[in-house]
Amino acid sequence: MAGTQFVSRPISEAIGCEISGLDVRKLAEPGLMSEIKNLIGKHHMLVFKDQELAPQDLIDFTRHFGEPDSHILKQFTHQGHPEVYVISNAEERPANVNDVSLNWHTDLAYKSHPSAFVVLYAEKVPDEGADTCFASMQRVYQEMTESEKALLRGRTATYSFVKLHAKRPNPDPLTPQQLADTPDVYHPVLRRHPDTGEEILYLNLPDCAGISGMEEDEALGIIKGLFDRITDPAHVHAHKWSVGDLVIWDNRTLLHSATYFDAERYQRRMLRTCVRGEKPMSSVGLSRAAE
């Protein structure tokens, strides 16, 4: 008997592939995950259409890609499913609605093991706005001059959850335990991708506090300049959500950003999970011929 069949359609030249006709609860079938992993390796972001998932289904889907990670702000996680972070203005305590998520970022850079993949599932979506935009860090890496790469190769960036949290509107004070769980971390600016072995650019502006061996103004100026190049509108893909969309992306190669919506007029409810990634490894010593 033939296995589950599905249709895949590239969304743009650099980012994204839409998959239809596949119930992701069937990914345990032989051969399916190999196909899906090949597609995400090629396109960096996948959109699974017309899914009907409970929170545990979302966790099970996430486990196909690795160990689910949890968010430091437990008050916004799903009751009974701490791996699921709820992004919603339909809750008693809304989370991540028209706030820091409107800025370009990569998720959980402030952790020692940042997310490898991020998963978003749409339960309620507004009629307009609230797109999720994606931009490729690797596209800009490929355009960088050798002198630009040499300047950053071997350097680490400092990431601070305290700095990021302070940018939230009216943030709750962090508890002593939350502070203890989120010390500053240091990640290579040019790192090795664990799946391909290639050197990749890895940056996050919102929680970056500097780059080793540089003055803070110089470091943040370089990062902002690279962010501007990465997020050039000509190279951004905006995903317009439908209820039942399930999106997964490689958090090591893509930046993402939400867009504004009228939270007084519309409700939005999204469920998010993250796959705990590897500790970023420096690309120093990586053969340039292997890239």
Side-chain angles (χ1 to χ4, degrees):
M1 178 183 293
T4 298
Q5 303 294 308
F6 61 88
V7 176
S8 62
R9 178 183 66 84
I11 297 171
S12 70
E13 182 177 349
I15 302 173
C17 181
E18 182 181 285
I19 295 175
S20 57
L22 175 63
D23 182 343
V24 300
R25 292 171 294 188
K26 297 181 178 180
L27 286 181
E29 290 187 9
L32 270 181
M33 272 310 300
S34 177
E35 292 184 70
I36 296 303
K37 288 183 176 180
N38 286 340
L39 285 172
I40 199 168
K42 180 178 180 180
H43 299 285
H44 306 282
M45 184 269 284
L46 303 179
V47 181
F48 297 88
K49 301 296 291 184
D50 303 317
Q51 303 299 308
E52 296 182 8
L53 305 179
Q56 187 59 52
D57 295 326
L58 187 61
I59 295 169
D60 292 343
F61 170 81
T62 305
R63 287 191 187 282
H64 286 293
F65 298 88
E67 177 189 351
D69 206 352
S70 59
H71 201 280
I72 192 68
L73 300 178
K74 306 301 183 189
Q75 64 267 38
F76 299 127
T77 56
H78 194 284
Q79 187 174 4
H81 299 89
E83 304 95 332
V84 179
Y85 187 68
V86 181
I87 303 170
S88 173
N89 66 329
E91 314 295 314
E92 183 177 341
R93 293 204 62 187
N96 275 16
V97 174
N98 295 331
D99 65 355
V100 293
S101 62
L102 296 178
N103 298 315
W104 286 100
H105 62 286
T106 180
D107 279 348
L108 307 191
Y110 58 81
K111 288 195 168 189
S112 62
H113 291 66
S115 301
F117 298 99
V118 180
V119 180
L120 268 182
Y121 175 61
E123 290 191 333
K124 293 182 180 180
V125 299
D127 292 340
E128 54 189 353
D131 300 343
T132 299
C133 299
F134 296 94
S136 172
M137 289 185 276
Q138 197 60 1
R139 176 188 63 81
V140 168
Y141 168 84
Q142 292 166 353
E143 296 175 352
M144 290 169 66
T145 66
E146 283 306 314
S147 61
E148 287 179 310
K149 294 174 185 176
L151 178 64
L152 298 174
R153 191 169 289 129
R155 297 185 189 270
T156 58
T158 303
Y159 294 103
S160 167
F161 179 74
V162 172
K163 178 181 178 180
L164 177 66
H165 187 67
K167 295 181 179 180
R168 296 178 182 273
N170 304 312
D172 293 336
L174 293 172
T175 67
Q177 186 61 56
Q178 287 172 327
L179 288 169
D181 289 343
T182 54
D184 288 356
V185 297
Y186 310 91
H187 299 316
V189 179
L190 296 182
R191 61 179 286 195
R192 187 190 304 253
H193 194 291
D195 297 335
T196 66
E198 295 177 334
E199 183 174 65
I200 61 173
L201 178 65
Y202 181 73
L203 294 172
N204 199 45
L205 183 60
D207 54 358
C208 185
I211 295 177
S212 61
M214 293 183 178
E215 294 296 328
E216 182 177 349
D217 288 348
E218 178 190 11
L220 296 183
I222 289 173
I223 293 176
K224 186 178 186 306
L226 288 169
F227 254 58
D228 289 344
R229 289 161 64 178
I230 295 165
T231 59
D232 177 349
H235 297 282
V236 167
H237 169 69
H239 177 65
K240 299 185 180 300
W241 290 92
S242 299
V243 171
D245 281 357
L246 175 68
V247 176
I248 181 171
W249 65 91
D250 189 335
N251 190 59
R252 301 158 297 198
T253 60
L254 298 183
L255 297 179
H256 65 283
S257 173
T259 62
Y260 177 85
F261 75 100
D262 187 343
E264 298 297 323
R265 183 179 180 187
Y266 299 116
Q267 287 193 336
R268 178 179 187 247
R269 191 172 196 270
M270 314 287 288
L271 302 184
R272 188 191 80 175
T273 56
C274 294
V275 175
R276 186 176 190 265
E278 63 291 328
K279 183 176 177 60
M281 300 298 293
S282 173
S283 61
V284 171
L286 177 66
S287 169
R288 304 278 79 80
E291 295 174 21

